[in-house]
Amino acid sequence: MKKIARFILFTILGWKFDGDFPKSPKKYVVIAAPHTSWVDFPIAILTRLSSGIMINFIGKASLFKGPFGFIFKALGGTPVDRTKNNKFVDAIIDIFNSKEEFRLGISPEGTRKKVTTWKTGFYYIAKGANVPIVMATLDFGNKKIKISKPFYTTDNKEKDIAYLRGFFLNVKGKNPELS
């Protein structure tokens, strides 16, 4: 599957890697931005398959219903009910703590719409599970998938978020007006 994904991603679609998902540590949170189009998802899945590193993801519960819900689950997805206050961060921390190997991909924007501030659940998950954050971006302007080295949070949330956001400067999403 890895060879097929690489052929599609690199040869047919013309993308390039700048970095790769780390094999170690075996647990981390991947934040991917900007998230501006449904096209981000298949490119992200091809990226994950091309790397050979399993990265799970979460999505709104409605994606996991109907005729295609089983596909999202088979790809490593978990539905999230965003209508309830269900201690989501604590539940994800428990998953990290219960596994020897777990990587979770999250969009810090939480939507494909334009946002000025990120949701910070990813930050509290990483901090609470004592795992690093790996930044990943799909730069449609340059057809480049850029992946960072692991970043460990500090005790200065504002400085950490500013550093993380800096990784995504000058990146063009599929719909740049939403970046």
Side-chain angles (χ1 to χ4, degrees):
M1 194 60 144
K2 183 176 179 177
K3 286 182 182 182
I4 293 168
R6 292 178 78 83
F7 177 75
I8 294 168
L9 189 64
F10 302 137
T11 306
I12 295 174
L13 299 177
W15 285 84
K16 297 175 186 77
F17 265 141
D18 180 0
D20 203 352
F21 293 110
K23 289 181 172 59
S24 180
K26 293 184 184 254
K27 296 182 191 182
Y28 49 84
V29 174
V30 177
I31 58 170
H35 182 30
T36 66
S37 169
W38 67 269
V39 175
D40 298 344
F41 181 75
I43 299 293
I45 293 298
L46 286 169
T47 299
R48 181 190 78 185
L49 292 170
S50 295
S51 75
I53 302 287
M54 179 57 169
I55 299 168
N56 295 84
F57 63 93
I58 53 174
K60 59 184 175 182
S62 62
L63 292 174
F64 294 84
K65 294 179 182 168
F68 300 110
F70 75 95
I71 293 172
F72 289 109
K73 287 180 184 171
L75 290 171
T78 301
V80 174
D81 184 355
R82 299 188 307 186
T83 63
K84 296 179 184 173
N85 181 3
N86 51 8
K87 299 192 180 192
F88 170 73
V89 169
D90 292 336
I92 300 297
I93 290 169
D94 288 344
I95 292 170
F96 268 101
N97 290 336
S98 71
K99 297 185 180 278
E100 284 188 41
E101 185 171 325
F102 187 69
R103 297 167 189 95
L104 177 66
I106 298 178
S107 167
E109 297 119 328
T111 181
R112 291 184 308 259
K113 298 178 179 114
K114 185 170 182 70
V115 297
T116 55
T117 58
W118 284 353
K119 295 185 179 286
T120 55
F122 76 90
Y123 184 83
Y124 292 108
I125 291 167
K127 203 147 184 64
N130 197 28
V131 299
I133 297 168
V134 172
M135 296 158 279
T137 189
L138 303 176
D139 185 349
F140 281 82
N142 297 303
K143 282 215 166 176
K144 189 182 285 186
I145 300 156
K146 186 176 174 189
I147 303 168
S148 77
K149 301 223 180 289
F151 170 79
Y152 289 85
T153 60
T154 69
D155 290 327
N156 188 332
K157 178 184 162 194
E158 289 75 26
K159 188 174 177 181
D160 288 350
I161 296 291
Y163 173 81
L164 295 168
R165 288 186 70 102
F167 181 83
F168 300 96
L169 289 176
N170 303 315
V171 171
K172 289 192 172 144
K174 173 76 173 152
N175 296 311
E177 69 278 7
L178 300 177
S179 297

